[in-house]
Amino acid sequence: MPDEDDALQRHVEAVEAVTAQATWENTNRIGLLWVHAGIGIVGGVLILARGGSTALNELNAAWGPITGWVALMGGLMLADGLSHDPRSVPREATGLFAMLAWDLIMGVGFIIAAAENGTQPYPVAIYGGLALLILVHLFTLRKVRKAKRRTRP
């Protein structure tokens, strides 16, 4: 029986290691989502209070308020979804889609600004990168939602 006990112990340790890794990864992902929510809230408030990018405002004065509200609402919805226990996946998804829209609007705006008035195009890379991160989060959230459906009684 000692061999069976050793094998069982190794199996238990392996399960504990996998569980610890999964817990760490989930905590890390949720932490990153909180960062995105904070960026949307703070960015939205700052844009609404101080105005948007000069390069974008030169194209159209509506860019500032539109991007400010989209960012703020996306950040608040994402934070709201994360705050519920259990988490509200639909609210998280809504917030992430709004944050994705903000990133895409900003990226497109900076592409237009660079073409029309020679603005530096590096913000396109920043907002493009943020949009890709949001897409990764949305993909992962979809997987989480599917897994939750499979485990329901």
Side-chain angles (χ1 to χ4, degrees):
M1 287 276 189
D3 287 337
E4 288 180 17
D5 289 342
D6 290 343
L8 181 60
Q9 183 60 34
R10 285 192 307 274
H11 180 71
V12 168
E13 290 170 0
V15 168
E16 288 173 349
V18 168
T19 301
Q21 180 67 27
T23 300
W24 180 86
E25 288 176 6
N26 188 53
T27 302
N28 186 43
R29 191 179 74 76
I30 291 173
L32 290 172
L33 288 170
W34 276 109
V35 169
H36 285 293
I39 289 170
I41 293 167
V42 172
V45 166
L46 289 174
I47 291 170
L48 291 170
R50 307 278 307 191
S53 163
T54 304
L56 298 183
N57 288 341
E58 287 176 2
L59 297 174
N60 187 327
W63 279 97
I66 290 169
T67 58
W69 280 111
V70 171
L72 178 60
M73 292 297 105
L76 289 172
M77 283 298 280
L78 180 54
D80 183 51
L82 292 167
S83 297
H84 283 79
D85 190 18
R87 293 173 24 221
S88 173
V89 172
R91 287 185 179 148
E92 282 183 49
T94 301
L96 285 169
F97 276 114
M99 297 293 294
L100 177 62
W102 177 47
D103 293 334
L104 293 175
I105 291 167
M106 294 296 285
V108 168
F110 279 109
I111 289 171
I112 294 168
E116 290 191 7
N117 60 23
T119 301
Q120 293 294 322
Y122 72 87
V124 174
I126 294 168
Y127 284 102
L130 288 171
L132 288 174
L133 289 172
I134 295 294
L135 286 172
V136 169
H137 286 303
L138 283 166
F139 178 77
T140 305
L141 193 60
R142 184 170 176 245
K143 295 279 190 187
V144 167
R145 191 171 188 178
K146 281 184 176 181
K148 283 184 178 181
R149 279 192 216 139
R150 277 183 274 168
T151 59
R152 286 185 190 153

